[in-house]
Amino acid sequence: MKSIREYFNSRKLFMFLALVLYCLALFFFQLCFLVKGGYVTLFAVISLALVFAVICSILGHRGKGFLFCPKCGSKKIVKTTLFGIPEILYDECPECHEKIDLDKPVNKD
């Protein structure tokens, strides 16, 4: 099994990649209003970007269940940004103030 730190890093990567793909789809959607032709190509790129963004979002949210304090169960060990992207992983629980081994596999808690 992966450790808490690995789940944090993979969630951060997937959520950031999903945000980039959503922004790319929005950019190509706005580009549709400026070009005179090539709508099928732009539609295909927008569709692919949205599909991959949804897949990255789902994969990012799957790892969210493992990011908690093994002692008290608090989910406040991860600080997120405005878009839900994990920013900081605390090695001490803010609620019970216990030291957390972030490199230990999650099934060994």
Side-chain angles (χ1 to χ4, degrees):
M1 292 288 297
K2 296 193 299 187
S3 67
I4 293 174
R5 188 181 311 273
E6 290 171 343
Y7 276 112
F8 171 79
N9 289 333
S10 65
R11 177 171 164 76
K12 186 175 183 178
L13 173 74
F14 282 129
M15 295 301 287
F16 181 74
L17 188 58
L19 178 66
V20 168
L21 288 170
Y22 283 129
C23 291
L24 183 70
L26 181 66
F27 170 74
F28 280 120
F29 178 71
Q30 292 176 351
L31 192 64
C32 284
F33 297 111
L34 298 176
V35 296
K36 301 215 185 273
Y39 291 112
V40 174
T41 305
L42 287 174
F43 179 73
V45 170
I46 290 170
S47 299
L48 285 174
L50 287 175
V51 165
F52 285 122
V54 168
I55 290 172
C56 287
S57 295
I58 291 171
L59 290 175
H61 282 289
R62 280 178 55 195
K64 185 178 183 178
F66 296 105
L67 298 175
F68 62 91
C69 174
K71 307 287 188 223
C72 68
S74 171
K75 295 196 180 270
K76 293 184 180 180
I77 65 168
V78 177
K79 181 180 176 188
T80 59
T81 61
L82 176 67
F83 297 109
I85 299 172
E87 181 181 19
I88 298 172
L89 180 63
Y90 297 112
D91 60 348
E92 183 178 318
C93 180
E95 290 185 2
C96 67
H97 302 290
E98 290 287 327
K99 188 84 169 154
I100 301 170
D101 186 12
L102 299 176
D103 296 318
K104 189 166 108 177
V106 293
N107 63 347
K108 303 279 183 178
D109 287 336

mmCIF file with all atom_site columns, all heavy atoms in Angstrom, residues 22-42:
data_model
loop_
_atom_site.group_PDB
_atom_site.id
_atom_site.type_symbol
_atom_site.label_atom_id
_atom_site.label_alt_id
_atom_site.label_comp_id
_atom_site.label_asym_id
_atom_site.label_entity_id
_atom_site.label_seq_id
_atom_site.pdbx_PDB_ins_code
_atom_site.Cartn_x
_atom_site.Cartn_y
_atom_site.Cartn_z
_atom_site.occupancy
_atom_site.B_iso_or_equiv
_atom_site.pdbx_formal_charge
_atom_site.auth_seq_id
_atom_site.auth_comp_id
_atom_site.auth_asym_id
_atom_site.auth_atom_id
_atom_site.pdbx_PDB_model_num
ATOM 1   N N   . TYR A 1 22 ? -9.437  21.588 -17.436 1.00 0.00 ? 22 TYR A N   1
ATOM 2   C CA  . TYR A 1 22 ? -10.663 22.391 -17.452 1.00 0.00 ? 22 TYR A CA  1
ATOM 3   C C   . TYR A 1 22 ? -10.392 23.777 -18.033 1.00 0.00 ? 22 TYR A C   1
ATOM 4   O O   . TYR A 1 22 ? -11.200 24.302 -18.818 1.00 0.00 ? 22 TYR A O   1
ATOM 5   C CB  . TYR A 1 22 ? -11.254 22.525 -16.049 1.00 0.00 ? 22 TYR A CB  1
ATOM 6   C CG  . TYR A 1 22 ? -11.990 21.309 -15.550 1.00 0.00 ? 22 TYR A CG  1
ATOM 7   C CD1 . TYR A 1 22 ? -11.704 20.764 -14.312 1.00 0.00 ? 22 TYR A CD1 1
ATOM 8   C CD2 . TYR A 1 22 ? -12.983 20.708 -16.311 1.00 0.00 ? 22 TYR A CD2 1
ATOM 9   C CE1 . TYR A 1 22 ? -12.381 19.653 -13.847 1.00 0.00 ? 22 TYR A CE1 1
ATOM 10  C CE2 . TYR A 1 22 ? -13.658 19.595 -15.859 1.00 0.00 ? 22 TYR A CE2 1
ATOM 11  C CZ  . TYR A 1 22 ? -13.359 19.075 -14.625 1.00 0.00 ? 22 TYR A CZ  1
ATOM 12  O OH  . TYR A 1 22 ? -14.035 17.980 -14.173 1.00 0.00 ? 22 TYR A OH  1
ATOM 13  N N   . CYS A 1 23 ? -9.276  24.382 -17.669 1.00 0.00 ? 23 CYS A N   1
ATOM 14  C CA  . CYS A 1 23 ? -8.920  25.704 -18.218 1.00 0.00 ? 23 CYS A CA  1
ATOM 15  C C   . CYS A 1 23 ? -8.639  25.618 -19.710 1.00 0.00 ? 23 CYS A C   1
ATOM 16  O O   . CYS A 1 23 ? -9.001  26.527 -20.465 1.00 0.00 ? 23 CYS A O   1
ATOM 17  C CB  . CYS A 1 23 ? -7.711  26.272 -17.479 1.00 0.00 ? 23 CYS A CB  1
ATOM 18  S SG  . CYS A 1 23 ? -8.061  26.740 -15.782 1.00 0.00 ? 23 CYS A SG  1
ATOM 19  N N   . LEU A 1 24 ? -8.000  24.526 -20.149 1.00 0.00 ? 24 LEU A N   1
ATOM 20  C CA  . LEU A 1 24 ? -7.738  24.327 -21.574 1.00 0.00 ? 24 LEU A CA  1
ATOM 21  C C   . LEU A 1 24 ? -9.047  24.197 -22.352 1.00 0.00 ? 24 LEU A C   1
ATOM 22  O O   . LEU A 1 24 ? -9.201  24.776 -23.437 1.00 0.00 ? 24 LEU A O   1
ATOM 23  C CB  . LEU A 1 24 ? -6.870  23.088 -21.772 1.00 0.00 ? 24 LEU A CB  1
ATOM 24  C CG  . LEU A 1 24 ? -6.448  22.774 -23.193 1.00 0.00 ? 24 LEU A CG  1
ATOM 25  C CD1 . LEU A 1 24 ? -5.437  23.810 -23.672 1.00 0.00 ? 24 LEU A CD1 1
ATOM 26  C CD2 . LEU A 1 24 ? -5.859  21.389 -23.271 1.00 0.00 ? 24 LEU A CD2 1
ATOM 27  N N   . ALA A 1 25 ? -9.998  23.461 -21.813 1.00 0.00 ? 25 ALA A N   1
ATOM 28  C CA  . ALA A 1 25 ? -11.303 23.310 -22.468 1.00 0.00 ? 25 ALA A CA  1
ATOM 29  C C   . ALA A 1 25 ? -12.018 24.650 -22.547 1.00 0.00 ? 25 ALA A C   1
ATOM 30  O O   . ALA A 1 25 ? -12.637 24.981 -23.564 1.00 0.00 ? 25 ALA A O   1
ATOM 31  C CB  . ALA A 1 25 ? -12.153 22.292 -21.727 1.00 0.00 ? 25 ALA A CB  1
ATOM 32  N N   . LEU A 1 26 ? -11.929 25.438 -21.482 1.00 0.00 ? 26 LEU A N   1
ATOM 33  C CA  . LEU A 1 26 ? -12.544 26.770 -21.494 1.00 0.00 ? 26 LEU A CA  1
ATOM 34  C C   . LEU A 1 26 ? -11.887 27.679 -22.536 1.00 0.00 ? 26 LEU A C   1
ATOM 35  O O   . LEU A 1 26 ? -12.566 28.421 -23.242 1.00 0.00 ? 26 LEU A O   1
ATOM 36  C CB  . LEU A 1 26 ? -12.456 27.409 -20.104 1.00 0.00 ? 26 LEU A CB  1
ATOM 37  C CG  . LEU A 1 26 ? -13.070 28.792 -19.969 1.00 0.00 ? 26 LEU A CG  1
ATOM 38  C CD1 . LEU A 1 26 ? -14.579 28.729 -20.171 1.00 0.00 ? 26 LEU A CD1 1
ATOM 39  C CD2 . LEU A 1 26 ? -12.738 29.388 -18.626 1.00 0.00 ? 26 LEU A CD2 1
ATOM 40  N N   . PHE A 1 27 ? -10.565 27.589 -22.642 1.00 0.00 ? 27 PHE A N   1
ATOM 41  C CA  . PHE A 1 27 ? -9.852  28.391 -23.641 1.00 0.00 ? 27 PHE A CA  1
ATOM 42  C C   . PHE A 1 27 ? -10.294 28.018 -25.055 1.00 0.00 ? 27 PHE A C   1
ATOM 43  O O   . PHE A 1 27 ? -10.572 28.893 -25.886 1.00 0.00 ? 27 PHE A O   1
ATOM 44  C CB  . PHE A 1 27 ? -8.339  28.189 -23.491 1.00 0.00 ? 27 PHE A CB  1
ATOM 45  C CG  . PHE A 1 27 ? -7.545  28.782 -24.614 1.00 0.00 ? 27 PHE A CG  1
ATOM 46  C CD1 . PHE A 1 27 ? -7.381  30.149 -24.711 1.00 0.00 ? 27 PHE A CD1 1
ATOM 47  C CD2 . PHE A 1 27 ? -6.983  27.966 -25.577 1.00 0.00 ? 27 PHE A CD2 1
ATOM 48  C CE1 . PHE A 1 27 ? -6.656  30.699 -25.754 1.00 0.00 ? 27 PHE A CE1 1
ATOM 49  C CE2 . PHE A 1 27 ? -6.255  28.493 -26.616 1.00 0.00 ? 27 PHE A CE2 1
ATOM 50  C CZ  . PHE A 1 27 ? -6.091  29.868 -26.711 1.00 0.00 ? 27 PHE A CZ  1
ATOM 51  N N   . PHE A 1 28 ? -10.383 26.724 -25.350 1.00 0.00 ? 28 PHE A N   1
ATOM 52  C CA  . PHE A 1 28 ? -10.801 26.303 -26.690 1.00 0.00 ? 28 PHE A CA  1
ATOM 53  C C   . PHE A 1 28 ? -12.276 26.622 -26.943 1.00 0.00 ? 28 PHE A C   1
ATOM 54  O O   . PHE A 1 28 ? -12.666 26.885 -28.077 1.00 0.00 ? 28 PHE A O   1
ATOM 55  C CB  . PHE A 1 28 ? -10.524 24.820 -26.915 1.00 0.00 ? 28 PHE A CB  1
ATOM 56  C CG  . PHE A 1 28 ? -9.093  24.537 -27.254 1.00 0.00 ? 28 PHE A CG  1
ATOM 57  C CD1 . PHE A 1 28 ? -8.336  23.719 -26.452 1.00 0.00 ? 28 PHE A CD1 1
ATOM 58  C CD2 . PHE A 1 28 ? -8.503  25.098 -28.373 1.00 0.00 ? 28 PHE A CD2 1
ATOM 59  C CE1 . PHE A 1 28 ? -7.018  23.454 -26.751 1.00 0.00 ? 28 PHE A CE1 1
ATOM 60  C CE2 . PHE A 1 28 ? -7.183  24.855 -28.689 1.00 0.00 ? 28 PHE A CE2 1
ATOM 61  C CZ  . PHE A 1 28 ? -6.435  24.025 -27.872 1.00 0.00 ? 28 PHE A CZ  1
ATOM 62  N N   . PHE A 1 29 ? -13.100 26.613 -25.899 1.00 0.00 ? 29 PHE A N   1
ATOM 63  C CA  . PHE A 1 29 ? -14.494 27.007 -26.062 1.00 0.00 ? 29 PHE A CA  1
ATOM 64  C C   . PHE A 1 29 ? -14.591 28.482 -26.449 1.00 0.00 ? 29 PHE A C   1
ATOM 65  O O   . PHE A 1 29 ? -15.371 28.856 -27.321 1.00 0.00 ? 29 PHE A O   1
ATOM 66  C CB  . PHE A 1 29 ? -15.270 26.739 -24.771 1.00 0.00 ? 29 PHE A CB  1
ATOM 67  C CG  . PHE A 1 29 ? -16.707 27.152 -24.842 1.00 0.00 ? 29 PHE A CG  1
ATOM 68  C CD1 . PHE A 1 29 ? -17.604 26.438 -25.613 1.00 0.00 ? 29 PHE A CD1 1
ATOM 69  C CD2 . PHE A 1 29 ? -17.157 28.260 -24.153 1.00 0.00 ? 29 PHE A CD2 1
ATOM 70  C CE1 . PHE A 1 29 ? -18.939 26.820 -25.689 1.00 0.00 ? 29 PHE A CE1 1
ATOM 71  C CE2 . PHE A 1 29 ? -18.479 28.646 -24.208 1.00 0.00 ? 29 PHE A CE2 1
ATOM 72  C CZ  . PHE A 1 29 ? -19.378 27.923 -24.979 1.00 0.00 ? 29 PHE A CZ  1
ATOM 73  N N   . GLN A 1 30 ? -13.792 29.326 -25.821 1.00 0.00 ? 30 GLN A N   1
ATOM 74  C CA  . GLN A 1 30 ? -13.783 30.740 -26.179 1.00 0.00 ? 30 GLN A CA  1
ATOM 75  C C   . GLN A 1 30 ? -13.187 30.962 -27.557 1.00 0.00 ? 30 GLN A C   1
ATOM 76  O O   . GLN A 1 30 ? -13.566 31.893 -28.264 1.00 0.00 ? 30 GLN A O   1
ATOM 77  C CB  . GLN A 1 30 ? -13.019 31.543 -25.136 1.00 0.00 ? 30 GLN A CB  1
ATOM 78  C CG  . GLN A 1 30 ? -13.721 31.598 -23.809 1.00 0.00 ? 30 GLN A CG  1
ATOM 79  C CD  . GLN A 1 30 ? -12.908 32.305 -22.748 1.00 0.00 ? 30 GLN A CD  1
ATOM 80  O OE1 . GLN A 1 30 ? -11.742 32.619 -22.949 1.00 0.00 ? 30 GLN A OE1 1
ATOM 81  N NE2 . GLN A 1 30 ? -13.536 32.565 -21.613 1.00 0.00 ? 30 GLN A NE2 1
ATOM 82  N N   . LEU A 1 31 ? -12.252 30.087 -27.949 1.00 0.00 ? 31 LEU A N   1
ATOM 83  C CA  . LEU A 1 31 ? -11.650 30.186 -29.272 1.00 0.00 ? 31 LEU A CA  1
ATOM 84  C C   . LEU A 1 31 ? -12.662 29.866 -30.369 1.00 0.00 ? 31 LEU A C   1
ATOM 85  O O   . LEU A 1 31 ? -12.528 30.350 -31.500 1.00 0.00 ? 31 LEU A O   1
ATOM 86  C CB  . LEU A 1 31 ? -10.451 29.239 -29.355 1.00 0.00 ? 31 LEU A CB  1
ATOM 87  C CG  . LEU A 1 31 ? -9.515  29.371 -30.530 1.00 0.00 ? 31 LEU A CG  1
ATOM 88  C CD1 . LEU A 1 31 ? -8.833  30.746 -30.495 1.00 0.00 ? 31 LEU A CD1 1
ATOM 89  C CD2 . LEU A 1 31 ? -8.487  28.269 -30.514 1.00 0.00 ? 31 LEU A CD2 1
ATOM 90  N N   . CYS A 1 32 ? -13.687 29.081 -30.050 1.00 0.00 ? 32 CYS A N   1
ATOM 91  C CA  . CYS A 1 32 ? -14.736 28.756 -31.026 1.00 0.00 ? 32 CYS A CA  1
ATOM 92  C C   . CYS A 1 32 ? -15.428 30.009 -31.549 1.00 0.00 ? 32 CYS A C   1
ATOM 93  O O   . CYS A 1 32 ? -15.880 30.045 -32.693 1.00 0.00 ? 32 CYS A O   1
ATOM 94  C CB  . CYS A 1 32 ? -15.786 27.843 -30.404 1.00 0.00 ? 32 CYS A CB  1
ATOM 95  S SG  . CYS A 1 32 ? -15.297 26.153 -30.220 1.00 0.00 ? 32 CYS A SG  1
ATOM 96  N N   . PHE A 1 33 ? -15.544 31.032 -30.716 1.00 0.00 ? 33 PHE A N   1
ATOM 97  C CA  . PHE A 1 33 ? -16.222 32.253 -31.129 1.00 0.00 ? 33 PHE A CA  1
ATOM 98  C C   . PHE A 1 33 ? -15.364 33.146 -32.015 1.00 0.00 ? 33 PHE A C   1
ATOM 99  O O   . PHE A 1 33 ? -15.876 34.072 -32.641 1.00 0.00 ? 33 PHE A O   1
ATOM 100 C CB  . PHE A 1 33 ? -16.685 33.038 -29.906 1.00 0.00 ? 33 PHE A CB  1
ATOM 101 C CG  . PHE A 1 33 ? -17.685 32.303 -29.076 1.00 0.00 ? 33 PHE A CG  1
ATOM 102 C CD1 . PHE A 1 33 ? -17.366 31.841 -27.817 1.00 0.00 ? 33 PHE A CD1 1
ATOM 103 C CD2 . PHE A 1 33 ? -18.953 32.031 -29.571 1.00 0.00 ? 33 PHE A CD2 1
ATOM 104 C CE1 . PHE A 1 33 ? -18.283 31.159 -27.050 1.00 0.00 ? 33 PHE A CE1 1
ATOM 105 C CE2 . PHE A 1 33 ? -19.883 31.349 -28.822 1.00 0.00 ? 33 PHE A CE2 1
ATOM 106 C CZ  . PHE A 1 33 ? -19.546 30.911 -27.551 1.00 0.00 ? 33 PHE A CZ  1
ATOM 107 N N   . LEU A 1 34 ? -14.062 32.880 -32.079 1.00 0.00 ? 34 LEU A N   1
ATOM 108 C CA  . LEU A 1 34 ? -13.165 33.729 -32.860 1.00 0.00 ? 34 LEU A CA  1
ATOM 109 C C   . LEU A 1 34 ? -12.808 33.160 -34.225 1.00 0.00 ? 34 LEU A C   1
ATOM 110 O O   . LEU A 1 34 ? -12.459 33.920 -35.122 1.00 0.00 ? 34 LEU A O   1
ATOM 111 C CB  . LEU A 1 34 ? -11.873 33.980 -32.078 1.00 0.00 ? 34 LEU A CB  1
ATOM 112 C CG  . LEU A 1 34 ? -12.046 34.722 -30.744 1.00 0.00 ? 34 LEU A CG  1
ATOM 113 C CD1 . LEU A 1 34 ? -10.716 34.810 -30.032 1.00 0.00 ? 34 LEU A CD1 1
ATOM 114 C CD2 . LEU A 1 34 ? -12.612 36.103 -30.972 1.00 0.00 ? 34 LEU A CD2 1
ATOM 115 N N   . VAL A 1 35 ? -12.870 31.844 -34.381 1.00 0.00 ? 35 VAL A N   1
ATOM 116 C CA  . VAL A 1 35 ? -12.479 31.246 -35.661 1.00 0.00 ? 35 VAL A CA  1
ATOM 117 C C   . VAL A 1 35 ? -13.689 31.132 -36.580 1.00 0.00 ? 35 VAL A C   1
ATOM 118 O O   . VAL A 1 35 ? -14.832 31.060 -36.128 1.00 0.00 ? 35 VAL A O   1
ATOM 119 C CB  . VAL A 1 35 ? -11.840 29.854 -35.450 1.00 0.00 ? 35 VAL A CB  1
ATOM 120 C CG1 . VAL A 1 35 ? -10.563 29.975 -34.668 1.00 0.00 ? 35 VAL A CG1 1
ATOM 121 C CG2 . VAL A 1 35 ? -12.784 28.895 -34.803 1.00 0.00 ? 35 VAL A CG2 1
ATOM 122 N N   . LYS A 1 36 ? -13.415 31.101 -37.863 1.00 0.00 ? 36 LYS A N   1
ATOM 123 C CA  . LYS A 1 36 ? -14.493 31.017 -38.846 1.00 0.00 ? 36 LYS A CA  1
ATOM 124 C C   . LYS A 1 36 ? -14.781 29.567 -39.254 1.00 0.00 ? 36 LYS A C   1
ATOM 125 O O   . LYS A 1 36 ? -15.840 29.257 -39.735 1.00 0.00 ? 36 LYS A O   1
ATOM 126 C CB  . LYS A 1 36 ? -14.134 31.841 -40.069 1.00 0.00 ? 36 LYS A CB  1
ATOM 127 C CG  . LYS A 1 36 ? -13.902 33.297 -39.740 1.00 0.00 ? 36 LYS A CG  1
ATOM 128 C CD  . LYS A 1 36 ? -14.381 34.160 -40.865 1.00 0.00 ? 36 LYS A CD  1
ATOM 129 C CE  . LYS A 1 36 ? -14.034 35.598 -40.579 1.00 0.00 ? 36 LYS A CE  1
ATOM 130 N NZ  . LYS A 1 36 ? -15.015 36.276 -39.799 1.00 0.00 ? 36 LYS A NZ  1
ATOM 131 N N   . GLY A 1 37 ? -13.826 28.670 -39.053 1.00 0.00 ? 37 GLY A N   1
ATOM 132 C CA  . GLY A 1 37 ? -14.029 27.266 -39.410 1.00 0.00 ? 37 GLY A CA  1
ATOM 133 C C   . GLY A 1 37 ? -13.282 26.369 -38.432 1.00 0.00 ? 37 GLY A C   1
ATOM 134 O O   . GLY A 1 37 ? -12.632 26.828 -37.503 1.00 0.00 ? 37 GLY A O   1
ATOM 135 N N   . GLY A 1 38 ? -13.377 25.080 -38.650 1.00 0.00 ? 38 GLY A N   1
ATOM 136 C CA  . GLY A 1 38 ? -12.679 24.133 -37.799 1.00 0.00 ? 38 GLY A CA  1
ATOM 137 C C   . GLY A 1 38 ? -13.394 23.836 -36.499 1.00 0.00 ? 38 GLY A C   1
ATOM 138 O O   . GLY A 1 38 ? -12.756 23.503 -35.502 1.00 0.00 ? 38 GLY A O   1
ATOM 139 N N   . TYR A 1 39 ? -14.709 23.940 -36.525 1.00 0.00 ? 39 TYR A N   1
ATOM 140 C CA  . TYR A 1 39 ? -15.471 23.691 -35.299 1.00 0.00 ? 39 TYR A CA  1
ATOM 141 C C   . TYR A 1 39 ? -15.397 22.233 -34.854 1.00 0.00 ? 39 TYR A C   1
ATOM 142 O O   . TYR A 1 39 ? -15.429 21.955 -33.657 1.00 0.00 ? 39 TYR A O   1
ATOM 143 C CB  . TYR A 1 39 ? -16.933 24.088 -35.489 1.00 0.00 ? 39 TYR A CB  1
ATOM 144 C CG  . TYR A 1 39 ? -17.128 25.572 -35.617 1.00 0.00 ? 39 TYR A CG  1
ATOM 145 C CD1 . TYR A 1 39 ? -17.534 26.137 -36.816 1.00 0.00 ? 39 TYR A CD1 1
ATOM 146 C CD2 . TYR A 1 39 ? -16.904 26.392 -34.540 1.00 0.00 ? 39 TYR A CD2 1
ATOM 147 C CE1 . TYR A 1 39 ? -17.721 27.494 -36.925 1.00 0.00 ? 39 TYR A CE1 1
ATOM 148 C CE2 . TYR A 1 39 ? -17.076 27.754 -34.629 1.00 0.00 ? 39 TYR A CE2 1
ATOM 149 C CZ  . TYR A 1 39 ? -17.486 28.307 -35.834 1.00 0.00 ? 39 TYR A CZ  1
ATOM 150 O OH  . TYR A 1 39 ? -17.652 29.649 -35.930 1.00 0.00 ? 39 TYR A OH  1
ATOM 151 N N   . VAL A 1 40 ? -15.308 21.326 -35.803 1.00 0.00 ? 40 VAL A N   1
ATOM 152 C CA  . VAL A 1 40 ? -15.263 19.905 -35.459 1.00 0.00 ? 40 VAL A CA  1
ATOM 153 C C   . VAL A 1 40 ? -13.972 19.590 -34.716 1.00 0.00 ? 40 VAL A C   1
ATOM 154 O O   . VAL A 1 40 ? -13.982 18.867 -33.705 1.00 0.00 ? 40 VAL A O   1
ATOM 155 C CB  . VAL A 1 40 ? -15.394 19.037 -36.733 1.00 0.00 ? 40 VAL A CB  1
ATOM 156 C CG1 . VAL A 1 40 ? -15.202 17.580 -36.417 1.00 0.00 ? 40 VAL A CG1 1
ATOM 157 C CG2 . VAL A 1 40 ? -16.719 19.278 -37.407 1.00 0.00 ? 40 VAL A CG2 1
ATOM 158 N N   . THR A 1 41 ? -12.865 20.148 -35.164 1.00 0.00 ? 41 THR A N   1
ATOM 159 C CA  . THR A 1 41 ? -11.590 19.933 -34.486 1.00 0.00 ? 41 THR A CA  1
ATOM 160 C C   . THR A 1 41 ? -11.617 20.513 -33.085 1.00 0.00 ? 41 THR A C   1
ATOM 161 O O   . THR A 1 41 ? -11.178 19.869 -32.125 1.00 0.00 ? 41 THR A O   1
ATOM 162 C CB  . THR A 1 41 ? -10.448 20.572 -35.296 1.00 0.00 ? 41 THR A CB  1
ATOM 163 O OG1 . THR A 1 41 ? -10.467 20.065 -36.621 1.00 0.00 ? 41 THR A OG1 1
ATOM 164 C CG2 . THR A 1 41 ? -9.108  20.280 -34.656 1.00 0.00 ? 41 THR A CG2 1
ATOM 165 N N   . LEU A 1 42 ? -12.127 21.736 -32.954 1.00 0.00 ? 42 LEU A N   1
ATOM 166 C CA  . LEU A 1 42 ? -12.204 22.357 -31.635 1.00 0.00 ? 42 LEU A CA  1
ATOM 167 C C   . LEU A 1 42 ? -13.150 21.586 -30.716 1.00 0.00 ? 42 LEU A C   1
ATOM 168 O O   . LEU A 1 42 ? -12.869 21.424 -29.526 1.00 0.00 ? 42 LEU A O   1
ATOM 169 C CB  . LEU A 1 42 ? -12.644 23.814 -31.753 1.00 0.00 ? 42 LEU A CB  1
ATOM 170 C CG  . LEU A 1 42 ? -11.596 24.777 -32.312 1.00 0.00 ? 42 LEU A CG  1
ATOM 171 C CD1 . LEU A 1 42 ? -12.201 26.148 -32.507 1.00 0.00 ? 42 LEU A CD1 1
ATOM 172 C CD2 . LEU A 1 42 ? -10.414 24.850 -31.383 1.00 0.00 ? 42 LEU A CD2 1
#
